[in-house]
Every structure is written in structure tokens, then in C-alpha cells.
Amino acid sequence: MSPQQSSAVRLHVVTGKGGTGKTTAAAALALALAAEGRRVLLAEVEERQGIAQLFETEALPYEERKIASAPGGGEVHALAIDAELAMLDYLDMFYKLGRAGRALKKMGAIDFATTIAPGLRDVLLTGKVCEAVRRKDKAGWPVYDAVVLDAPPTGRITRFLNVNDEVAGLARMGPIFNQAQAVMGVLKSPQTAIHLVTLLEEMPVQETMDGVAELRAAGLPVGAVIVNMVRPVLLADAELAEVVVPDPGPDGTGTPPAAANGKRRAAVAKALSQAGLGGARRGGVAERLVDPLLAQAHEHAQRVVLEREQRAEIAGLGLPVRELELLGDGVDLGGLYRLAESLRKQAVAGTVSAPGAGAGAGEDG
């Protein structure tokens, strides 16, 4: 998501493994894109009302409405896309059914159709999003500068976006064929970028790598990897190396030699004492805090090592990377704006945040 890419890309699809903060990242991205007077649409398709919760507003209806202002006079509008209502739009647009279409809904025919027709539900959802991308005002200008889609999880994102090819294969002419072709024209164009949200953990990173491979194989445009919930590194590299693995000791059991262990313990006890946490003598308050603190340092060092391994895996994808730090108190509206500013600054700089720095999102689907 470089400045050049942001100006060229008009549809940003955000996906990620469940629990990585996909919806939060999508909302922050929408706010970041809306800066400096731009108008952005944020859409969801999973009927979870996650966007409304993040922006602390009432449940979104099947209509576009403004939910937030961005720095510089920008606006974020939002839409919760319902497949049945999108089907009514489709029937009215192409077949002029009007009331007849609403009668079909009451009879359950639309729900039946979206259930049994392969890919029809997804083509309706993506079709509504792509229509917003292409829509123009009376002067011929795009209604939205960008559209952000909070999409299904990584495990089914390729099928969700590429299912339109299957629909196009079922119908060789007519409105369904034309709709599918138009949608795929947007999704596979340089106008679109699919961003994947992950954590610095083995399973989410592996799913991200698998998702990137599937998207590339399908000819769908991959954008950036958004590394979410990044925690700060609290120790310098030399300190990390010292505490990450206990010294093996003379018996090879992992117990540090007495001299080395004693030196480390004495240094920590002295620092605690100087901080006003009691005397450093044996049995004193400061001395009793040493073992728990050394254990925490060891766990922290191990986590940092594992996270650096996962960063290396992500770097191997050859994609732009953005980082969002963990917000310890969860994500409220103020935190969401903070995340948006972090994304905006990283895009302007064209660089990823330093390891352990950034601004972060909480968990969601």
C-alpha cells in the first residue's frame, strides 16, 4: 500500500484467519484512506455487524450511510450487504420485477435460489461491492475514492472472489453472464488489492502463505500483509541472547552454572533495590522478585525469537508489510483512529514499522 498504489487501487479486499483482527484492520484502513478529504465505503458481507460495533453505532442497514469523519474532512460510509436484498436489487435492475421480486422473497424463493445455485450468493455480494467501485455521480466522477471490503476469512477468500468464474461458466449469455464478467473484470484488475491480516504466530502465518499462493494461482491481485497485534520488544539483542536459553550447566540439565546464575541474580536484585523495592540481601523483597522476573524475561526472549522467525517467513512472500501494535485495553473508537494514523504513516513512508513498534488491533473475525 504505497502512496502510488493507494491512488491507483480503488477496491481494497481485507481477509485473514479468524481471530487475527481482520475487521479492525479493514476499518482502520478505511479511515486511513479517507484522510485528506477522500470519501470511502466500508462494506461487510458476513452479517456479523462487526463494523457497527467498532464504530460504536447502531446496526448497519442495507443502505450506505456515513459512520465516521477522517482527518482533513474525509468521510467513511458503511454498508452491510445482505445476499437476499442484493438479489432483489439484481432482479429489479435486470428484470424489472419490482413488487414481484419482493413477493418471491416472501415465498422464500430468493433464499432457495441463493442456497442451491453454485456461487450465486457470492456473485451477488461481490457484485454489490464492485457496483460501488464503478458508480459515478452526475458529473462523471467516482462516488467513492476507495471501497474497502471486510471479506470472508483466508480459508475461503479465493473461492469467494473467484466463484464468479464458475457462474460465468454456467451462463454463456444474458444478465448473469454479463454481471459475472463485469465483477471479475474489477476483481482481477489493477484497481483491486487483496490484503491479508496475520499475527506473528505459526498457524496464522502459514494460512497467510497458503492464501497468497491460492490467490496468485487464481490470478487475483495480492496487496499487502498486515501484521496485527504486534507487541513491543523490551530487551536489547544482547540481553535477549543472554536470557533466551538457560546455560546448560555442568550436568547438562539446563541449570545455569552457579557463578553465571549468581551474577545475573545479583544484578537484577541490585536494580530492584535501587528502584526502591526493598533490600537486595538474600531473603529480602527485591531478592524474592528475581526468579519471577528472570522467568518472564526468558519467556519474552523466546517469544521474540519465534516472532522473528515468522517475520522472516512473511518477508519471503515479497509483499509490502504493515504492522499494527497490540492495544492492551482493546479497540475503542479512539484506538481505531490511532491504528488508521499508523497505517497512513507507514504507507507514506513506504516502510514497515521497526520490529515491535506500530499500533494495534484487537481480536475479531
Side-chain angles (χ1 to χ4, degrees):
M1 292 180 293
S2 67
Q4 292 80 9
Q5 183 188 37
S6 295
S7 61
V9 175
R10 299 199 50 242
L11 173 58
H12 297 260
V13 180
V14 180
T15 184
K17 178 176 168 52
T20 59
K22 167 178 68 70
T23 299
T24 303
L29 177 58
L31 276 171
L33 291 169
E36 306 306 325
R38 289 185 286 270
R39 181 182 171 98
V40 175
L41 175 66
L42 174 60
E44 65 179 18
V45 294
E46 296 184 275
E47 301 180 5
R48 295 189 302 109
Q49 290 293 336
I51 293 173
Q53 294 175 35
L54 281 170
F55 284 93
E56 302 174 5
T57 185
E58 60 187 21
L60 297 175
Y62 182 67
E63 62 183 27
E64 297 157 28
R65 76 172 190 217
K66 179 182 173 181
I67 61 168
S69 298
E75 296 181 352
V76 175
H77 294 244
L79 170 67
I81 304 175
D82 176 272
E84 289 192 16
L85 294 176
M87 182 70 161
L88 287 178
D89 279 353
Y90 179 85
L91 293 173
D92 187 47
M93 184 182 301
F94 292 109
Y95 296 101
K96 311 301 180 186
L97 288 186
R99 293 182 179 178
R102 290 190 288 275
L104 288 174
K105 183 181 186 301
K106 290 181 180 179
M107 295 167 56
I110 292 178
D111 181 60
F112 178 74
T114 56
T115 300
I116 67 166
L120 180 56
R121 181 181 184 85
D122 289 347
V123 79
L124 291 169
L125 297 174
T126 52
K128 183 69 175 178
V129 173
C130 291
E131 182 276 325
V133 173
R134 298 191 303 265
R135 193 188 314 156
K136 291 181 169 55
D137 61 20
K138 294 180 180 179
W141 294 97
V143 172
Y144 294 107
D145 296 290
V147 176
V148 177
L149 172 60
D150 178 20
T154 316
R156 77 180 197 92
I157 187 62
T158 302
R159 185 171 73 250
F160 172 75
L161 296 176
N162 210 38
V163 73
N164 300 283
D165 279 345
E166 298 179 25
V167 174
L170 294 173
R172 297 299 180 184
M173 62 182 64
I176 293 179
F177 174 81
N178 293 335
Q179 172 83 343
Q181 291 296 99
V183 167
M184 291 312 302
V186 173
L187 294 178
K188 289 191 172 184
S189 76
Q191 281 188 297
T192 297
I194 304 165
H195 311 299
L196 296 94
V197 182
T198 189
L199 306 179
L200 289 175
E201 298 173 6
E202 186 174 356
M203 287 185 63
V205 169
Q206 185 59 56
E207 187 162 316
T208 297
M209 296 173 67
D210 293 342
V212 169
E214 290 179 6
L215 290 166
R216 284 172 168 168
L220 290 162
V222 183
V225 175
I226 301 174
V227 181
N228 196 19
M229 303 188 210
V230 176
R231 289 172 287 188
V233 177
L234 303 176
L235 299 174
D237 283 354
E239 295 168 325
L240 287 170
E242 183 181 354
V243 300
V244 65
V245 179
D247 297 322
D251 58 358
T253 62
T255 303
N261 186 46
K263 183 178 180 181
R264 184 184 300 167
R265 290 175 56 84
V268 174
K270 181 179 180 181
L272 291 172
S273 179
Q274 290 174 343
L277 294 176
R281 67 186 184 282
R282 183 175 298 278
V285 175
E287 202 272 343
R288 293 198 301 271
L289 293 173
V290 171
D291 284 338
L293 286 174
L294 288 177
Q296 287 186 13
H298 175 63
E299 292 175 4
H300 174 74
Q302 285 186 313
R303 176 178 63 78
V304 171
V305 169
L306 292 174
E307 288 182 350
R308 286 178 177 176
E309 292 174 355
Q310 298 309 313
R311 273 198 178 90
E313 296 283 353
I314 293 169
L317 293 170
L319 296 170
V321 179
R322 304 289 177 253
E323 293 194 357
L324 298 173
E325 76 172 282
L326 175 67
L327 296 180
D329 295 330
V331 181
D332 57 13
L333 194 54
L336 196 58
Y337 275 88
R338 176 180 168 188
L339 300 180
E341 180 62 12
S342 174
L343 280 178
R344 191 190 66 79
K345 286 181 177 179
Q346 291 180 63
V348 169
T351 59
V352 65
S353 300
E363 293 189 21
D364 53 54

